[in-house]
Amino acid sequence: MSADNPFFTSVEQFVAWSGGDHCIKKVLVANNGIGATKAIKSIRKWAFETFGNERMITFVVMASPEDMKANAEYIRMADHVVDVPGGTNNHNYANINLICQIAERLKVDAVMPMWGHASENPLLPTSLLNLTRRVSFIGPPAEPMQALGDKIGSTIIAQSAGVPVIAWNGDGLTVDYKSEGIPQSIFDRANVQSAEECLACCERIGYPVMIKASEGGGGKGIRKVFKSEDVQASFRQVQGEIPGSPIFVMKMASHARHLEVQLLADRHGEAIALSGRDCSVQRRHQKIIEEGPPNIASPSVFRKMELAAISLAKTVGYCNAGTVEYLYKMEDESFAFLELNPRLQVEHPVTENIMGMNLPSCQLMVAMGIPLHRIGDVRRLYGRHVRGTDTIDFQFSEKVVPPRHCIAVRVTAENPEAGFQPTSGRIQELHFHSSIDVWGYFSVNNS
């Protein structure tokens, strides 16, 4: 890099200059569809801006027969394609052994799961540590992933850290996470293990309640209950949807908004909040519309949400991107911790737009060991020169946020002849022209 050439000449040079410790030049994207597409597009954009060459980072992708047949966009974008078995994702994109075998055989430097599939399975980062060569996981370490990815464990940690939580069957349980983690005896006390116990918890908390599987998500393993007569049947339905998952009961927050805080943390103990999103418009407990920044909460209250999220992340040594979700009640401006998603979320482009950032590239740089204060997008956010080397006191520094607002809509398809069950159907024609202010991401093309 020189005055005449503003680009770095190699990834090694960039990592050394930025204070990192792992040169990542080849990435296995353990995902398909829009997750893989967005990862490749974002990091190639960053590579062009940093090196003047978008191919400085190469990508290996996995392709099932179904994705090959669908002519998936990410397959055409990749540098190397590995055929994997079809069927459910435990045969391919969520198969830890298969992912590790590919990573070792093709000598990749890192594995990037994005969201879904194996992204929240702590066995993946643990298994990568056991390979014969260094392969970084572009996501959080196994320990905080397991602690915060579990809804019961994360709620215990949150209330131990002083983060407000909603009434639930484990309220009052606290731990000293840094010194002892979550003892199994404490976790077991928060795990509702029978329909009879569930009924007793519901009666104590007061109706309406939500019966939830700790390992559930995306609308699965969750039931609303308004009266005692429905408790036992609902409990068994949750058990059946997520077999083997711990179950807990929480008070249903009526007329609450669903707000979330985007986190980014490095391996050096620093964490920052990157505004947030309002995802209150949902269908079958799946987010349909995301809006950012949230304007339903006052700036002072939302700042408290951000600080609570940062405190939670630092308590468990969280690293990389994550999202803390809250329930917010307008009438008294109260908020309560709901869960932490230990991964990048589908709706992260909302945050990218309002903050002027490229989150997958930030994830990559964190995995390279680069401190937050040396990441260009973070420095720009705090009004610093993108190629400066000075440290930033994030606790007392103000962000310089552009006056932007963004709304994202998830396009869904349902079959009215099958009880409006989700279905992809057949795409016969697809035309969408992105502009500066309106854009779309698609993982399929015309059939």
Side-chain angles (χ1 to χ4, degrees):
M1 183 179 64
S2 65
D4 296 330
N5 179 16
F7 302 117
F8 290 93
T9 58
S10 69
V11 180
E12 290 87 350
Q13 180 197 23
F14 170 77
V15 173
W17 181 85
S18 302
D21 62 6
H22 187 206
C23 180
I24 298 176
K25 296 192 290 185
K26 191 174 186 179
V27 176
L28 168 60
V29 181
N31 207 311
N32 62 342
I34 193 63
T37 301
K38 182 61 168 59
I40 297 171
K41 280 188 174 182
S42 295
I43 292 177
R44 281 193 176 152
K45 180 178 183 292
W46 167 80
F48 181 78
E49 294 170 347
T50 305
F51 305 102
N53 178 2
E54 67 171 17
R55 299 281 174 165
M56 290 294 281
I57 309 294
T58 59
F59 291 94
V60 177
V61 300
M62 306 160 67
S64 68
E66 294 87 348
D67 283 317
M68 293 292 285
K69 184 178 179 180
N71 194 27
E73 176 76 8
Y74 79 96
I75 296 174
R76 295 195 301 276
M77 296 174 63
D79 299 288
H80 190 108
V81 179
V82 179
D83 293 331
V84 295
T88 56
N89 69 359
N90 61 303
H91 293 113
N92 40 65
Y93 308 105
N95 188 317
I96 305 299
N97 289 334
L98 179 61
I99 293 169
C100 291
Q101 289 170 11
I102 295 171
E104 186 118 71
R105 176 162 56 87
L106 294 183
K107 295 181 170 58
V108 304
D109 302 308
V111 171
M112 189 168 199
M114 295 298 277
W115 54 80
H117 300 308
S119 63
E120 296 183 61
N121 189 340
L123 184 59
L124 180 53
T126 299
S127 299
L128 293 176
L129 291 174
N130 295 325
L131 299 183
T132 57
R133 61 193 314 274
R134 182 176 181 182
V135 179
S136 290
F137 179 71
I138 303 181
E143 292 79 10
M145 180 194 291
Q146 187 160 13
L148 293 175
D150 179 272
K151 294 178 177 62
I152 291 176
S154 63
T155 308
I156 294 173
I157 295 170
Q159 64 190 18
S160 302
V163 180
V165 300
I166 201 164
W168 70 300
N169 63 281
D171 45 19
L173 297 176
T174 59
V175 296
D176 183 350
Y177 183 82
K178 287 185 177 179
S179 63
E180 63 178 5
I182 302 179
Q184 189 62 45
S185 59
I186 297 291
F187 186 89
D188 290 343
R189 288 170 60 187
N191 180 6
V192 179
Q193 302 188 33
S194 69
E196 293 73 23
E197 184 183 351
C198 184
L199 177 60
C201 292
C202 293
E203 296 288 334
R204 180 179 69 81
I205 295 169
Y207 300 96
V209 299
M210 305 291 284
I211 302 175
K212 303 177 71 173
S214 184
E215 297 170 4
K220 289 186 177 181
I222 181 171
R223 290 292 185 279
K224 291 180 188 176
V225 180
F226 293 90
K227 54 186 179 180
S228 58
E229 293 82 355
D230 298 333
V231 170
Q232 296 198 18
S234 297
F235 177 82
R236 293 190 178 96
Q237 288 170 353
V238 171
Q239 275 187 318
E241 284 187 6
I242 314 291
S245 171
I247 294 174
F248 66 106
V249 180
M250 63 180 290
K251 180 75 174 177
M252 189 176 86
S254 302
H255 309 297
R257 300 291 285 263
H258 191 153
L259 308 184
E260 52 193 27
V261 172
Q262 176 68 60
L263 283 174
L264 185 66
D266 62 22
R267 296 206 320 245
H268 309 280
E270 199 57 81
I272 58 174
L274 303 174
S275 186
R277 303 176 289 263
D278 186 334
C279 54
S280 302
V281 180
Q282 303 184 15
R283 177 161 169 74
R284 293 193 177 99
H285 305 291
Q286 291 187 317
K287 301 165 187 174
I288 298 297
I289 296 177
E290 291 264 352
E291 183 177 2
N295 55 20
I296 194 68
S298 66
S300 61
V301 171
F302 192 75
R303 181 56 181 159
K304 291 179 182 178
M305 293 184 184
E306 291 184 319
L307 292 174
I310 293 170
S311 174
L312 183 59
K314 289 185 174 183
T315 295
V316 298
Y318 192 85
C319 178
N320 219 274
T323 301
V324 177
E325 302 192 0
Y326 297 102
L327 293 176
Y328 171 76
K329 301 195 75 170
M330 295 173 54
E331 56 265 30
D332 58 3
E333 289 196 306
S334 64
F335 65 92
F337 173 80
L338 185 61
E339 62 179 311
L340 185 147
N341 288 309
R343 54 174 170 78
L344 194 65
Q345 289 188 280
V346 180
E347 55 273 12
H348 73 274
V350 172
T351 295
E352 290 185 320
N353 181 272
I354 63 177
M355 305 300 282
M357 301 185 73
N358 180 333
L359 285 177
S361 72
C362 291
Q363 286 189 287
L364 175 69
M365 285 182 273
V366 167
M368 290 175 170
I370 296 172
L372 289 182
H373 71 271
R374 296 297 299 274
I375 294 176
D377 276 358
V378 174
R379 295 187 60 80
R380 184 186 296 111
L381 190 61
Y382 285 87
R384 309 298 177 90
H385 191 282
V386 293
R387 294 226 170 137
T389 59
D390 56 307
T391 58
I392 301 173
D393 188 336
F394 293 110
Q395 184 177 356
F396 298 104
S397 299
E398 293 291 330
K399 291 190 283 286
V400 182
V401 182
R404 294 174 179 165
H405 201 85
C406 181
I407 298 175
V409 179
R410 180 180 294 181
V411 179
T412 62
E414 298 175 345
N415 185 354
E417 296 179 354
F420 290 92
Q421 289 297 311
T423 177
S424 60
R426 171 170 289 194
I427 310 276
Q428 293 181 317
E429 198 168 331
L430 176 63
H431 295 286
F432 188 90
H433 298 286
S434 294
S435 66
I436 293 176
D437 296 320
V438 181
W439 75 97
Y441 294 106
F442 299 93
S443 60
V444 293
N445 275 328
N446 302 340
S447 60

